[in-house]
Amino acid sequence: MHPLLDAAVAAPGDAEQRQKKLQLGSESLAQLADLWLPPMVSEKHHDKPLMGQLREMVLRMTPEQHERHLIALMDRPDASRYMKEINCPVLLIVGTEDQWSPID
C-alpha cells in the first residue's frame, strides 16, 4: 500500500478502496471508470450522454495522473476543523445520490 493512503483522516475502508482503484487504474482505466463513475451519478442518468463524457474524461488520464489524484485525496487535511472559523455565508453543494461523497 502507498504510504500516503492511510495518512489522512478517512472513513473506515477508504484506504483499501483507494488502493484497489490505484491497482485497477494501473491495469485498466476502462475498468476503473466502470467501477468509479456509477456511484457518483444518479442511476437515472447512467444511460445518458453524461456517463459517456465522464468515461472519456477518465480514459484521457494516465495511470500516473490517477494515482496522484487518489493520493492527493487521501493526503488532504481534514478541513472540517476550520468550519467554526468561517464567518461569512457559505454555499455547500452535494449530490443527494452521490455514494462516494454522501451528505453526512
Side-chain angles (χ1 to χ4, degrees), residues 11-95:
D14 274 0
E16 294 81 11
Q17 289 299 317
R18 292 186 196 278
Q19 181 63 36
K20 180 179 177 182
K21 288 179 194 72
L22 278 174
Q23 181 64 36
L24 188 56
S26 68
E27 296 168 6
S28 169
L29 288 176
Q31 288 180 17
L32 173 65
D34 294 341
L35 171 74
W36 190 28
L37 294 174
M40 282 192 269
V41 179
S42 171
E43 285 186 32
K44 61 187 169 198
H45 297 292
H46 283 191
D47 61 346
K48 307 279 174 143
L50 172 65
M51 288 303 283
Q53 293 169 345
L54 291 172
R55 193 170 196 279
E56 288 174 17
M57 182 178 67
V58 171
L59 296 178
R60 284 193 302 267
M61 294 173 60
T62 66
E64 295 78 22
Q65 288 170 314
H66 179 69
E67 179 177 341
R68 288 193 306 265
H69 172 81
L70 284 174
I71 291 169
L73 284 171
M74 290 303 294
D75 197 32
R76 70 186 185 276
D78 180 6
S80 65
R81 62 183 173 197
Y82 302 110
M83 296 297 283
K84 293 179 183 176
E85 297 175 23
I86 299 173
N87 34 354
C88 64
V90 175
L91 174 64
L92 298 175
I93 301 173
V94 296

